[in-house]
Amino acid sequence: MDNGEIESQDEELPSRTGRQYRPVVAHDRAVLEMSSLESASSSRLPDREISLKKIKVNVQGNMDLNAKEDPTHGGPNGPQRESKLELFGFDSLVNILGLKSMSGEQIPAPTSPRDGEDISITLGHPKPTALKLGTLMGVFVPCLQNIMGIIYYIRFSWIVGMAGILQSLLLVSFCGLCTFLTGISLSAIATNGAMKGGGPYYLIGRALGPEVGVSIGLCFFLGNAVAGSLYVLGAVETFLDAVPSAGIFQGSTTSVNTTSGVVEQIQNPSLHDLQVYGIVVTILLVFIVFGGVKMINRVAPLFLIPVLFSVFCIFIGVFLAKKDDPSPGITGLSLTTFKDNLGSDYQLTNSAGVPDTNGTVYWNFNALVGLFFPAVTGIMAGSNRSASLKDTQRSIPVGTLAASLTTSALYLISVLLFGALATREKLLKDRLLTATVAWPLPAIIYVGIILSTLGAALQSLTGAPRLLAAIANDDILPVLNYFKVADGSEPYVATLFTAFICIGCVVLGNLDLISPTITMFFLLCYAGVNLSSFLLDLLDAPSWRPRWKFHHWSLSLLGASLCIVIMFLISWSFTVVSLALVSLIYYYVSLKGKAGDWGDGFKSAYFQLALRSLRSLGASQVHPKNWYPIPLIFCRPWGKLPENVPCHPKLADFANCMKKKGRGMSIFVSILDGDYHECAEDAKTACRQLSTYIDYKRCEGVAEIVVAPNMSVGFRGIVQTMGLGNLKPNIVVMRYPEIWRRENLIQIPAIFVGIINDCIVANKAVVIVKGLDEWPNEYQRQYGTIDLYWIVRDGGLMLLLSQLLLTKESFESCKIQVFCIAEEDADAENLKADVKKFLYDLRMQAEVIVITMKSWESHVEGNTQQDDSVEAYTAAQQRIAAYLQEMKDKAQREGTPLMADGKPVVVNEQQVEKFLYTCLKLNSTILRYSRMAAVVLVSLPPPPVSHPPYFYMEYMDLLVENVPRLLMVRGYRRDVVTLFT
């Protein structure tokens, strides 16, 4: 090759797929042709062609750039190597091959897998060598084992007798459709990325957020724990029915009236026997769980063999059955029996489900839904084993849906067969009809039931603690820290807690009371899975790319709706209690839980909602009725703050006062002087500190740090670009630089005036706070008045700010006074009446006071006017005269016109004196009328054109002199209040 070769240290490396590893060559599209970055050498090459350095790949997969090392160019890791891929950087190559950016950890050495091998993205850990399971043994068999359980053996024929064939078909289809749609939603979510421990909790939490995930996850844990007691009771009840002599206590007897009028006595196991044997079996299972999961996983497939064989024996027995053979009431497959059993026959039963005319339990279709639904659960078994699957993306959807369809078909066929096999009386009183008709011996069914239920109970007692440990390991709820486990460790504490719950349910000893409880918890989990798929499918974020393509948001919504409907059909009281429990856990997690960002669907929904809202707002001006203040809080201090203090502590308190009931957004901005490339990390650190400060002050806002050569350039960029559309900030808030003369900060006047002028050009309102150190927080109640010195038209911004202040607890006891400045010969009474009418139409309560100020002409004519602040006035005149004389001397020396801060200025000394007097007189008026005011608002005069910034600061100092708490407000070219409804 012209540009060199890429060699391998071992050219005979075998490939698992039989193909040789194809090296990267120079003409590949991934290789960018470029010249060397060393100007000293490249400038001497006429054709600018530099050979590609050889890249060696060793047996371990480590890449070595075999470039000529220059000892003069060293780095922290040794001499720098030259490469034609130098433009991309070595780290970029590692990101591509090792997918380091997805792992979240630094990988010490990049790997270069051969063709046919997988690239591990498991956080840099080596690929496990354990045997991986396929679709059949990894998903289909566990799901089938969990779905096919105790309900089918000892309750299904009873359900057919109670509901009839038609309603039983409807019942199976209804419940099967719910789980099938949930399986579709589960397939979509499970194939959208790698899964960790936690099963459905992990899926729901990452889709709907940690609060919803923990709430539903804990309920799913309770469902699994209670399901363990269901399986234990089923096994014990089957054992006692098969071996009545094993009972310790005397069983109960129930009389059943048959159609022939004969009263038949049916023996039922004692409740105390169920409790004693159930507790013993649960303890034995817990000891097995403590023995380790490997043994359980090795034995678990053996539990399925009796189940499949027993089902085969049941079907053989059904087809071989004849009239009254093997038991009275058996008719064999008869069309007459089929017709007799078409309709329902709901009746009273005792607590054990045995028909009794004096019973206390009345069954209907809704109650049967709650009883039967656990027979279709178990579709999550495959997702719980995702770490042990060869191909998660294929095995979970295929295995889960195949198991759901297989069991649903089995149930539908069994409804038809049982309905045609025996009379209704036999179906209702013989709860183990499956064992009665089984071929060749009923004992096969008893053994199958016991082994299958014990296996399912073992799976529940194994999976539930791991689910609780997965929730605890996410570190959302501190109260669950006791159940945390290290990677690879057994959750012993969670297992004991699960066993405690299971034993508590076993003590109840009633299978029919436990079953609806499990149903509610599982339905909540299924609804969460469906809602997760619905939200992700509807939002269709770029990251939503499931490999399972047969899904739609409407199917997920239908599945979630079916779950909710089934919950209310079973029991509205149980549903309300379950939803209240979830809501309580959600509220607790919101209060006590640690915040976490899992990239859930709600964040995507908020983002899309924000985009749509922003587009709907458009770029046109917002109507005054819909106007909200969006303050840009300028945090850059006029001096120095203590270390690690991002801005003035009272700025957020003031920002909250500009919002009604806390609604609105504030943008906190600070400027970092320097070069962006050098200060980028410092800016990120400062932004985090500022965000922490905003959260601490409970202010709704965002933090932004801008790096710029200086403050003026930075602010000019901020005021032009900050915000989007109509969500751009409309008010600039900053602190008045009270320290500029005391600290001799001579550069502040130019920056301060420049910021105000930039706001005027950008059409932004300005609020300057003087006395920020004394600004009250939310707990410091203020009394007195809020005084407004309304001098110029500002669109009503000053009036609106005063009303917003009244909505805060700090100022709610204050009253508003509006001072209108009028000339001495003006019609003060007419002005007062007009302002009162205007405030009345604006729905604002305020007292109007009209005061007069002598005009400048009157001051010139009547020079005998004496003022209490004449000393400050004289001092300002002297400082301005000295500054002006300094400018003139400098201009004379340099032979240039008058310059201030690098800009030409024109000074009208008479106008300067007029401005000084105006500010001084306004200050005297404020001190005279508003000395006891809680806060004073006054119109901010714009910087005069062609006046030095130093002069403007002298004007402002005179205006704010001795006023403890003052807001200088300048509106912009639009109204923010309206008279109309």
Side-chain angles (χ1 to χ4, degrees):
M1 291 180 290
D2 295 336
N3 291 329
E5 297 178 351
I6 300 180
E7 299 177 346
S8 173
Q9 287 184 352
D10 188 359
E11 297 181 357
E12 300 300 327
L13 282 175
S15 174
R16 294 183 182 178
T17 59
R19 293 175 294 175
Q20 292 295 329
Y21 176 75
R22 188 183 69 83
V24 180
V25 294
H27 59 269
D28 279 356
R29 296 180 61 185
V31 180
L32 177 66
E33 293 293 332
M34 60 171 289
S35 60
S36 174
L37 299 180
E38 293 185 52
S39 58
S41 59
S42 61
S43 60
R44 296 183 177 90
L45 294 178
D47 53 358
R48 300 291 182 98
E49 291 185 357
I50 306 297
S51 62
L52 182 66
K53 305 303 175 182
K54 297 180 180 180
I55 302 178
K56 292 186 177 181
V57 184
N58 57 25
V59 178
Q60 286 77 17
N62 296 329
M63 301 187 66
D64 182 21
L65 296 180
N66 189 18
K68 294 181 180 180
E69 298 181 355
D70 185 358
T72 62
H73 293 79
N77 298 323
Q80 296 180 352
R81 298 179 175 92
E82 300 174 1
S83 172
K84 208 154 192 182
L85 296 178
E86 187 178 16
L87 173 65
F88 299 99
F90 187 71
D91 287 339
S92 298
L93 196 61
V94 175
N95 281 343
I96 295 171
L97 295 180
L99 299 181
K100 184 179 66 176
S101 60
M102 295 176 60
S103 69
E105 292 188 4
Q106 296 294 331
I107 301 176
T111 60
S112 179
R114 296 183 291 272
D115 271 355
E117 293 186 350
D118 296 329
I119 298 175
S120 176
I121 57 173
T122 56
L123 301 180
H125 298 302
K127 293 193 299 182
T129 58
L131 179 64
K132 295 291 186 177
L133 301 176
T135 302
L136 180 63
M137 296 304 299
V139 179
F140 181 77
V141 170
C143 288
L144 196 64
Q145 183 178 1
N146 280 268
I147 295 174
M148 286 291 298
I150 186 67
I151 299 296
Y152 177 76
Y153 289 104
I154 68 175
R155 287 292 183 268
F156 195 72
S157 59
W158 181 89
I159 291 173
V160 174
M162 186 70 71
I165 295 175
L166 294 179
Q167 291 196 23
S168 296
L169 291 175
L170 178 62
L171 174 66
V172 173
S173 302
F174 190 54
C175 297
L177 178 63
C178 177
T179 55
F180 182 74
L181 293 176
T182 304
I184 292 178
S185 300
L186 173 67
S187 301
I189 304 177
T191 58
N192 192 51
M195 288 179 54
K196 296 183 180 179
Y201 154 73
Y202 180 83
L203 300 177
I204 296 173
R206 270 58 181 179
L208 300 181
E211 294 85 0
V212 179
V214 171
S215 304
I216 297 181
L218 287 177
C219 289
F220 189 62
F221 157 75
L222 291 176
N224 278 277
V226 175
S229 64
L230 171 71
Y231 300 133
V232 169
L233 285 176
V236 172
E237 184 176 349
T238 304
F239 172 73
L240 292 176
D241 284 339
V243 188
S245 60
I248 303 174
F249 303 92
Q250 181 66 34
S252 61
T253 302
T254 303
S255 300
V256 179
N257 295 320
T258 63
T259 55
S260 60
V262 178
V263 178
E264 185 174 345
Q265 304 294 325
I266 297 179
Q267 295 291 330
N268 299 311
S270 170
L271 177 63
H272 299 300
D273 284 334
L274 293 176
Q275 294 170 342
V276 171
Y277 279 103
I279 293 175
V280 172
V281 170
T282 303
I283 293 175
L284 292 176
L285 292 177
V286 170
F287 277 111
I288 296 176
V289 172
F290 273 111
V293 183
K294 291 184 179 180
M295 181 179 64
I296 297 174
N297 290 336
R298 196 175 294 118
V299 176
L302 300 179
F303 285 105
L304 186 63
I305 297 176
V307 176
L308 298 178
F309 184 70
S310 61
V311 171
F312 174 77
C313 293
I314 291 172
F315 277 88
I316 294 297
V318 167
F319 286 104
L320 295 179
K322 299 178 181 179
K323 184 174 178 60
D324 294 331
D325 182 22
S327 174
I330 301 296
T331 64
L333 295 178
S334 170
L335 183 60
T336 303
T337 307
F338 184 85
K339 292 179 180 179
D340 293 339
N341 292 332
L342 278 177
S344 61
D345 186 19
Y346 297 113
Q347 52 188 286
L348 292 171
T349 68
N350 61 12
S351 59
V354 179
D356 188 354
T357 55
N358 298 323
T360 57
V361 181
Y362 179 76
W363 292 90
N364 53 24
F365 183 82
N366 298 351
L368 290 183
V369 172
L371 177 62
F372 174 72
F373 194 83
V376 296
T377 60
I379 59 175
M380 301 295 177
S383 63
N384 291 335
R385 302 185 176 205
S386 57
S388 302
L389 300 177
K390 291 181 181 178
D391 188 357
T392 308
Q393 313 292 323
R394 180 180 181 274
S395 297
I396 288 182
V398 174
T400 301
L401 296 178
S404 178
L405 290 175
T406 301
T407 51
S408 296
L410 175 65
Y411 290 151
L412 291 173
I413 295 174
S414 298
V415 169
L416 301 176
L417 294 179
F418 288 152
L421 178 66
T423 61
R424 191 180 301 273
E425 288 79 10
K426 185 64 173 178
L427 293 173
L428 290 176
K429 70 181 181 181
D430 190 354
R431 292 182 298 168
L432 278 172
L433 181 65
T434 54
T436 302
V437 301
W439 176 89
L441 296 173
I444 296 177
I445 301 302
Y446 289 109
V447 173
I449 294 175
I450 293 174
L451 290 180
S452 64
T453 50
L454 289 180
L458 202 59
Q459 293 293 340
S460 296
L461 292 175
T462 304
R466 279 149 185 80
L467 175 61
L468 183 61
I471 299 175
N473 285 340
D474 278 336
D475 203 19
I476 300 297
L477 275 181
V479 73
L480 299 179
N481 288 341
Y482 301 102
F483 304 112
K484 283 185 177 181
V485 292
D487 292 339
S489 301
E490 293 292 330
Y492 295 117
V493 179
T495 301
L496 289 176
F497 183 69
T498 305
F500 176 78
I501 296 176
C502 185
I503 290 175
C505 294
V506 167
V507 171
L508 294 177
N510 193 328
L511 190 67
D512 298 327
L513 290 180
I514 294 176
S515 181
T517 307
I518 302 172
T519 304
M520 290 299 172
F521 291 140
F522 277 91
L523 281 170
L524 279 174
C525 178
Y526 294 166
V529 172
N530 283 298
L531 287 176
S532 301
S533 178
F534 165 72
L535 180 63
L536 295 174
D537 216 346
L538 188 65
L539 295 175
D540 199 16
S543 61
W544 177 245
R545 301 184 305 276
R547 292 184 180 272
W548 181 256
K549 302 301 181 183
F550 303 101
H551 64 91
H552 193 265
W553 63 264
S554 59
L555 296 178
S556 301
L557 181 61
L558 177 61
S561 303
L562 282 178
C563 292
I564 302 300
V565 168
I566 291 176
M567 291 177 68
F568 279 99
L569 282 179
I570 296 171
S571 172
W572 67 268
S573 57
F574 262 93
T575 302
V576 171
V577 171
S578 301
L579 294 177
L581 177 62
V582 172
S583 302
L584 186 64
I585 298 176
Y586 180 90
Y587 182 70
Y588 179 77
V589 174
S590 300
L591 290 180
K592 302 294 185 180
K594 298 179 181 179
D597 187 4
W598 292 349
D600 54 88
F602 281 128
K603 298 292 177 63
S604 179
Y606 297 153
F607 181 76
Q608 292 199 21
L609 182 61
L611 290 182
R612 293 185 181 181
S613 301
L614 186 61
R615 288 196 299 267
S616 64
L617 285 176
S620 58
Q621 288 188 352
V622 180
H623 193 277
K625 289 192 295 184
N626 299 323
W627 187 88
Y628 282 85
I630 305 178
L632 178 71
I633 313 296
F634 189 53
C635 302
R636 176 71 176 263
W638 304 110
K640 293 184 178 180
L641 288 175
E643 189 176 358
N644 296 328
V645 177
C647 70
H648 195 285
K650 293 297 184 70
L651 268 177
D653 294 328
F654 179 75
N656 282 328
C657 290
M658 299 182 68
K659 304 172 186 176
K660 187 175 183 180
K661 298 180 180 179
R663 291 191 294 264
M665 181 181 69
S666 301
I667 303 176
F668 290 76
V669 175
S670 187
I671 298 173
L672 194 63
D673 294 342
D675 181 75
Y676 176 68
H677 290 183
E678 298 176 356
C679 303
E681 292 301 323
D682 295 338
K684 292 177 183 178
T685 303
C687 189
R688 287 193 294 267
Q689 292 178 350
L690 190 55
S691 298
T692 303
Y693 161 78
I694 296 172
D695 295 337
Y696 171 75
K697 301 296 286 187
R698 292 183 294 179
C699 181
E700 291 186 357
V702 295
E704 295 289 346
I705 302 295
V706 176
V707 180
N710 54 65
M711 190 187 300
S712 298
V713 174
F715 184 84
R716 192 161 299 159
I718 290 171
V719 80
Q720 293 181 79
T721 60
M722 190 64 67
L724 293 172
N726 272 321
L727 287 183
K728 290 184 177 180
N730 44 34
I731 302 177
V732 176
V733 179
M734 59 180 172
R735 183 188 183 192
Y736 182 76
E738 305 171 44
I739 63 171
W740 75 277
R741 181 180 291 111
R742 183 175 67 250
E743 302 291 339
N744 195 26
L745 303 175
I746 58 175
Q747 75 279 7
I748 283 184
I751 298 174
F752 182 72
V753 172
I755 289 176
I756 296 177
N757 285 329
D758 290 341
C759 293
I760 295 174
V761 173
N763 194 25
K764 307 288 185 186
V766 182
V767 176
I768 300 176
V769 188
K770 193 263 181 181
L772 189 61
D773 295 336
E774 290 78 27
W775 192 264
N777 58 33
E778 55 183 330
Y779 305 109
Q780 295 174 328
R781 185 173 294 272
Q782 302 296 302
Y783 299 94
T785 59
I786 299 175
D787 292 351
L788 281 68
Y789 286 83
W790 198 14
I791 301 174
V792 297
R793 181 178 180 275
D794 59 359
L797 178 59
M798 190 184 300
L799 296 173
L800 184 61
L801 288 179
S802 64
Q803 294 296 317
L804 292 176
L805 288 176
L806 284 183
T807 63
K808 300 301 175 184
E809 294 184 4
S810 310
F811 294 96
E812 63 181 2
S813 301
C814 299
K815 296 182 179 180
I816 298 178
Q817 293 184 146
V818 179
F819 292 86
C820 298
I821 310 299
E823 298 291 341
E824 205 169 62
D825 54 355
D827 189 353
E829 292 300 324
N830 290 339
L831 177 61
K832 183 176 182 179
D834 291 342
V835 174
K836 278 189 173 182
K837 178 64 168 58
F838 180 70
L839 294 177
Y840 176 80
D841 292 337
L842 288 177
R843 293 89 61 201
M844 294 183 179
Q845 297 287 338
E847 181 182 357
V848 179
I849 301 173
V850 178
I851 60 177
T852 61
M853 286 183 62
K854 285 190 175 182
S855 64
W856 172 246
E857 289 76 13
S858 301
H859 170 68
V860 174
E861 294 174 0
N863 202 14
T864 57
Q865 170 72 28
Q866 300 293 327
D867 195 279
D868 296 337
S869 302
V870 66
E871 183 178 350
Y873 174 70
T874 304
Q877 281 183 319
Q878 294 174 353
R879 287 193 297 269
I880 286 180
Y883 186 83
L884 180 59
Q885 185 60 43
E886 183 180 346
M887 284 196 306
K888 290 180 178 179
D889 294 342
K890 183 177 180 181
Q892 187 176 6
R893 288 194 307 268
E894 298 177 356
T896 59
L898 287 178
M899 302 286 289
D901 300 306
K903 298 180 181 179
V905 294
V906 178
V907 179
N908 184 334
E909 297 185 21
Q910 186 177 7
Q911 190 181 42
V912 171
E913 189 174 354
K914 179 180 179 180
F915 288 162
L916 277 174
Y917 176 77
T918 302
C919 294
L920 181 62
K921 191 62 180 177
L922 181 57
N923 174 262
S924 300
T925 304
I926 293 173
L927 293 178
R928 184 180 303 119
Y929 291 99
S930 304
R931 187 175 293 274
M932 302 302 296
V935 62
V936 177
L937 287 80
V938 64
S939 298
L940 173 69
V945 181
S946 300
H947 280 221
Y950 181 87
F951 289 8
Y952 183 74
M953 291 302 298
E954 288 288 353
Y955 307 152
M956 292 297 98
D957 281 352
L958 278 177
L959 178 61
V960 304
E961 185 74 23
N962 296 324
V963 182
R965 198 179 293 153
L966 179 71
L967 302 182
M968 291 178 282
V969 182
R970 178 173 179 82
Y972 58 112
R973 297 185 295 272
R974 60 161 307 166
D975 293 332
V976 298
V977 294
T978 179
L979 303 176
F980 305 101
T981 182

